[in-house]
Amino acid sequence: MRPEIAYANIKKRIGKEGCVAFLATFFIGLLTHFSALLSDIPNHDGLASIYSDQNMITSGRWFLGTACGVSSFYSLPWLIGILAIVYLGIASILLVKLLEVKDSFSVIIISGMLVTFPSLASNFAYVFTMDGYMLGVLLAVLSVYLTGKGRFGFVFGGIALAFSMGCYQAYLPIAMLLCLYKALLVLSERDSIKAKLNKILKYLYMGLIGIGLYYVILQVLLRIEGKTLADYQGINEMASANKAGIIATLKMTFGEFISFAIKSKILFSNGFAFAAVLVLGCSFAGAFIYKAVKEKWLKSLWTYVIVLISLMLIPVFTNAILFISTEVTYHLLMKYQWVMFGILAVAFISNVINEKEDDSLDKENKFKAILSWTTAVSAFVIVFCYILTDNIAYSNLQKKYEKTYAYCVRLADRIEQTEGYYQGIPIYMIGVVGEDAFPVSDITEKVTGNILGATGDWLLYTGENYENFFKHYLGVTFNFLRPTDTVYYYEPEYVEMPSFPYPGSTKVVDGVLYVKTENSDRTGTE
């Protein structure tokens, strides 16, 4: 088959809504993340990942190295960013197919939400893994999509879910929320209980196969490489009994859900975003009530039971990672699933609006027209506010780099001008920046406070950060001592020194160059 014929066949199968989804995702993604795509700005972790094979098997991410290898193991923001957006574009196609969204405007809104949600700003701060992570998102969506295809689609869906978790376990909740939504739609169908149960069980089977296959592959690869799971984020406790207990974990799960929704400033970055989310929520409620009245759901006790159970399951599914490890630091990179709430709301409203009616009452037409406008306007405002948040984060990330560059130029010069310095002299330094000597100039904290990697004033948190910044961005090589080599932090010579940039913040003692950057109670350079 010639390439042009294959292209025509793919385009036909994707359909109009699929083409619109991909193009909308791609171009909105380019416009939103343009500044990050054209920058080469590392965050603190990126300083050590300018070249990295991303072998993260000890963190359970056994497929991440392969996924990131498509763009090479170099940190290439433009190429990695384009690949990530392409993966999201394909995920967008699958979403509109899965959710049966037909009208182009709703497709564009869904695509816009998917490619602008502020979690992606955090991903761009950790750009060296972004393409692999976004492939994980694509595979999570694909797992649910395949489950509904054919008699044994759940098997292929389970395989896709296993590889998604192999990229990043944090995207499991995306599949879980989509499965919950599809299960609720199945329950609303006019079909036998047996037929409904068979359909819903396929999603359960897919999840069991996916999680089981992921764990088996992980254990096999750990044995082959002779490694064990790291204690980072409590990943080594995976599949073991939850030490906190089920009640404590549930409390933590619901508390985390409420806290992020209200306090994170991600969903409600400003007054416009708050109003838009409120209007979209009311539109969803209106569409649900309209559908419930039409289908006579309100007369059935099961409706109230199902709604109550769903409301209880949503926080659990959203924060499912807490059931894997209660010690996890649940940062924004791990909360991309929150974009599903807006997407599912728009999809449901769209389906209600575009349902064929047996009659054409003026009141129904007017209600649907109002619903269409409130959804469109509120969703547009939400997407625009996401774009603002992303670019505020990128602006601060740029400023962090500029301030760090200027700081390190000054520090390198001071080190080299210290009496007794010679190339290769052992250097001991605490790896943070002293806030008492430098002004706090980050004015974006109210917006970026929860956007991991993009908040704060500096890129430097450890001695290794300094070393990598000096080497890769200044072309300077220093011989920093590791904490395992020696610890001078509480020795009198070090305690009495002022912190940089004050005079005396660098000096040679017994053949070692001490550099003091801050006064604190932290020990070692980590």
Side-chain angles (χ1 to χ4, degrees), residues 209-437:
I209 290 172
I211 295 173
L213 181 60
Y214 160 78
Y215 188 74
V216 169
I217 294 175
L218 173 61
Q219 293 303 316
V220 169
L221 292 177
L222 284 170
R223 291 282 185 90
I224 291 173
E225 295 193 22
K227 297 179 179 179
T228 58
L229 289 173
D231 59 2
Y232 173 72
Q233 295 279 44
I235 194 67
N236 58 325
E237 295 180 1
M238 184 171 53
S240 62
N242 195 318
K243 294 180 179 179
I246 188 66
I247 301 300
T249 303
L250 283 173
K251 287 182 179 179
M252 187 185 307
T253 298
F254 280 84
E256 173 64 33
F257 185 88
I258 294 170
S259 177
F260 182 80
I262 297 175
K263 298 180 181 180
S264 69
K265 301 292 182 70
I266 299 298
L267 304 181
F268 312 120
S269 57
N270 54 45
F272 295 110
F274 178 80
V277 171
L278 187 63
V279 171
L280 182 61
C282 290
S283 298
F284 173 79
F288 179 80
I289 293 171
Y290 174 86
K291 179 78 171 177
V293 171
K294 180 185 173 184
E295 301 292 337
K296 299 179 181 179
W297 292 344
L298 300 180
K299 296 181 180 180
S300 172
L301 177 62
W302 283 110
T303 299
Y304 301 96
V305 174
I306 290 169
V307 169
L308 180 60
I309 293 174
S310 299
L311 291 176
M312 297 295 289
L313 287 177
I314 285 172
V316 174
F317 282 17
T318 304
N319 294 324
I321 300 302
L322 288 176
F323 283 85
I324 296 176
S325 172
T326 54
E327 296 180 7
V328 67
T329 301
Y330 219 175
H331 51 68
L332 191 59
L333 277 175
M334 308 170 75
K335 295 181 179 180
Y336 190 45
Q337 64 271 20
W338 279 83
V339 73
M340 288 294 120
F341 293 112
I343 288 174
L344 294 176
V346 171
F348 181 81
I349 295 168
S350 173
N351 291 335
V352 169
I353 291 173
N354 291 290
E355 274 185 338
K356 291 182 179 179
E357 301 289 350
D358 296 329
D359 51 28
S360 56
L361 297 176
D362 289 339
K363 288 183 179 179
E364 289 183 347
N365 291 334
K366 288 180 180 178
F367 174 75
K368 287 188 175 182
I370 293 171
L371 204 60
S372 180
W373 275 105
T374 55
T375 303
V377 173
S378 61
F380 173 81
V381 173
I382 290 170
V383 171
F384 182 71
C385 289
Y386 286 168
I387 294 172
L388 286 178
T389 298
D390 292 341
N391 282 276
I392 290 170
Y394 298 147
S395 175
N396 190 60
L397 190 59
Q398 174 71 37
K399 292 178 176 62
K400 286 176 66 174
Y401 169 78
E402 298 288 353
K403 287 181 281 192
T404 301
Y405 189 93
Y407 172 88
C408 284
V409 167
R410 295 173 62 191
L411 182 58
D413 182 67
R414 179 72 65 85
I415 291 172
E416 292 174 339
Q417 298 302 318
T418 303
E419 184 177 354
Y421 170 83
Y422 60 88
Q423 184 63 38
I425 187 174
I427 298 175
Y428 180 77
M429 180 175 69
I430 299 298
V432 286
V433 177
E435 294 183 356
D436 56 333

Side-chain angles (χ1 to χ4, degrees), residues 3-46:
E4 61 269 23
I5 296 176
Y7 170 76
N9 289 338
I10 292 172
K11 185 176 179 181
K12 184 178 179 180
R13 293 193 66 176
I14 289 174
K16 177 187 174 183
E17 65 274 15
C19 292
V20 172
F22 183 85
L23 292 174
T25 303
F26 189 78
F27 287 110
I28 294 173
L30 285 181
L31 291 173
T32 302
H33 307 294
F34 189 74
S35 60
L37 286 166
L38 296 184
S39 302
D40 186 8
I41 302 174
N43 70 351
H44 53 282
D45 277 357

Side-chain angles (χ1 to χ4, degrees), residues 160-197:
L161 182 62
F163 279 83
S164 172
M165 294 180 67
C167 291
Y168 198 20
Q169 305 93 318
Y171 299 132
L172 172 63
I174 292 178
M176 294 178 71
L177 289 171
L178 285 172
C179 286
L180 177 61
Y181 181 80
K182 292 297 289 185
L184 292 174
L185 291 182
V186 169
L187 290 173
S188 69
E189 294 175 357
R190 295 172 181 175
D191 209 341
S192 66
I193 295 177
K194 183 178 179 181
K196 291 179 181 179
L197 185 60

Side-chain angles (χ1 to χ4, degrees), residues 31-199:
L31 291 173
T32 302
H33 307 294
F34 189 74
S35 60
L37 286 166
L38 296 184
S39 302
D40 186 8
I41 302 174
N43 70 351
H44 53 282
D45 277 357
L47 290 170
S49 299
I50 292 174
Y51 178 87
S52 173
D53 62 8
Q54 296 304 326
N55 184 348
M56 301 284 286
I57 189 171
T58 57
S59 295
R61 302 171 209 169
W62 47 259
F63 191 58
L64 184 61
T66 303
C68 291
V70 175
S71 61
S72 81
F73 295 137
Y74 291 93
S75 182
L76 307 172
W78 187 87
L79 178 58
I80 292 172
I82 291 294
L83 274 175
I85 292 172
V86 168
Y87 292 149
L88 288 177
I90 300 172
S92 184
I93 295 172
L94 296 176
L95 274 173
V96 298
K97 293 286 187 181
L98 179 67
L99 302 176
E100 300 178 3
V101 180
K102 300 294 184 182
D103 67 287
S104 296
F105 203 87
S106 296
V107 169
I108 293 172
I109 290 172
I110 288 172
S111 301
M113 287 183 171
L114 188 69
V115 80
T116 61
F117 190 71
S119 179
L120 294 177
S122 199
N123 276 115
F124 264 106
Y126 292 82
V127 72
F128 50 93
T129 58
M130 187 175 188
D131 52 344
Y133 282 2
M134 293 305 101
L135 180 58
V137 172
L138 168 57
L139 290 169
V141 177
L142 179 64
S143 69
V144 184
Y145 178 82
L146 290 175
T147 301
K149 298 294 180 180
R151 185 177 178 184
F152 297 103
F154 65 90
V155 176
F156 299 102
I159 295 171
L161 182 62
F163 279 83
S164 172
M165 294 180 67
C167 291
Y168 198 20
Q169 305 93 318
Y171 299 132
L172 172 63
I174 292 178
M176 294 178 71
L177 289 171
L178 285 172
C179 286
L180 177 61
Y181 181 80
K182 292 297 289 185
L184 292 174
L185 291 182
V186 169
L187 290 173
S188 69
E189 294 175 357
R190 295 172 181 175
D191 209 341
S192 66
I193 295 177
K194 183 178 179 181
K196 291 179 181 179
L197 185 60
N198 286 336
K199 289 180 181 179

